[in-house]
Amino acid sequence: MKNPAIARVALIVALAAAAVFTAFACHAEAAPPVRRPAPGAGGAEQLMQQGNFKDAYDQFRKQTLAQGTDPRTAGRQLQLATQCLQNLGRVDEVDEYCEAVIKVHAGQWRLLWAAADNYLGMQHYGFMVAGKFERGQKRGGGHAVNVNERDRVRALQLMVQALPLLRKDAAAERDAADFYFSLGRMLLGNRGYAEAWRLQYLSDLGTLPDVDEGWYFGGGAPQGAPVDEAGKPILYRAPRTFEAAKSDGERWRWALVQVGEFAPDRVDEAQMEFANFLRAQFGVETMAWYGRFFGAGGSDEPDKDESGTYALHTLTDDETIARLATGIKRFKLPDEFNFIKICQQVADNAKSPQGQQALSTLADSFTNRRQYPRAADYWRQSIARSHIGNEQLQQIISNWARFEPATTQP
């Protein structure tokens, strides 16, 4: 006979196993496995969020190449489709696709604007294959080239193509101001402080430049603000029309002026953008960008220095000491190109959203000019307006100290 105790244990184990199997079967029936949506199911953006980049791109392409698609929608879809191609490793297809969309919507300024932004957001390098440029990384490498300048010019071509269409659009409203801001920043592309001398050129927008050899590593170390034959700093005035501009610098100034024409309440925003550029060109801070501490004074070429940090506290509001291409020099700036005057005008407008930015810029500038009472005054105005700057004010008026890392000396 079987042991009754063993028989009972075996029965309990069998019943438990049956219960576990039943529970598993019920759970599997109640929660079927999640499946990826079938191709074409759901919106393109939803497919993109799910990581289904191929099907998303196919839908985006079909929609953007359709006549009558809203230009706002088509512009956004163009940029999302480009992102899908990048995620798929098919960057070499982006140029053909982008130009096809531009051809379909050539009469829509919003789409042309989006396409210009799209070119600036692409990878600006690639390889020459059988005499043809292919964008992006290529297995096995090859003849590497970059198209930084080519993409910038193509973007500007599209923006200029959009200009007459924008002027005819009565519904442009505030979007026009953003368009001109974008145009201005494209004109400044690859032309920061280190390469501001390039703004003297008038980019040829009739012909795309050739690809450039090798990788692009930027413009190198700053060389100082450019000067004319007489040694005076180059200043760009706003022309009456885009076509009348004699340099990219003048084209940029014209674009900033147009912001105020379409959105008068954004004039201060354009003015601050101009002021920040001028400060980067002619602020006393430029003496610190050349491999020496700001407090050291002078330059590596003392025979070219006409002043130094020792004279900063003597500057009037219409003067500056800056590093130009010919060396450090003390000179006066006309009011139109005086970033201090521009910031003061913006700060005086109590209703300006850029008022706080202007006050902070002024306070920081006068601190660097070692005119601490003026800096403290602007920080007090900043605190009264926006409660910003108390710590900076205390650094000036209080007995603060700090520990500097240094080697122990006997």
Side-chain angles (χ1 to χ4, degrees), residues 12-65:
I12 292 173
V13 171
L15 292 174
V20 170
F21 176 79
T22 303
F24 175 80
C26 293
H27 174 74
E29 183 177 352
V34 177
R35 294 184 176 87
R36 295 173 65 87
E45 291 191 34
Q46 181 181 354
L47 291 171
M48 186 177 178
Q49 291 171 359
Q50 295 169 347
N52 196 344
F53 301 118
K54 181 183 182 303
D55 292 333
Y57 168 69
D58 291 341
Q59 285 201 24
F60 282 135
R61 183 182 179 96
K62 180 179 179 181
Q63 293 165 4
T64 52
L65 292 177

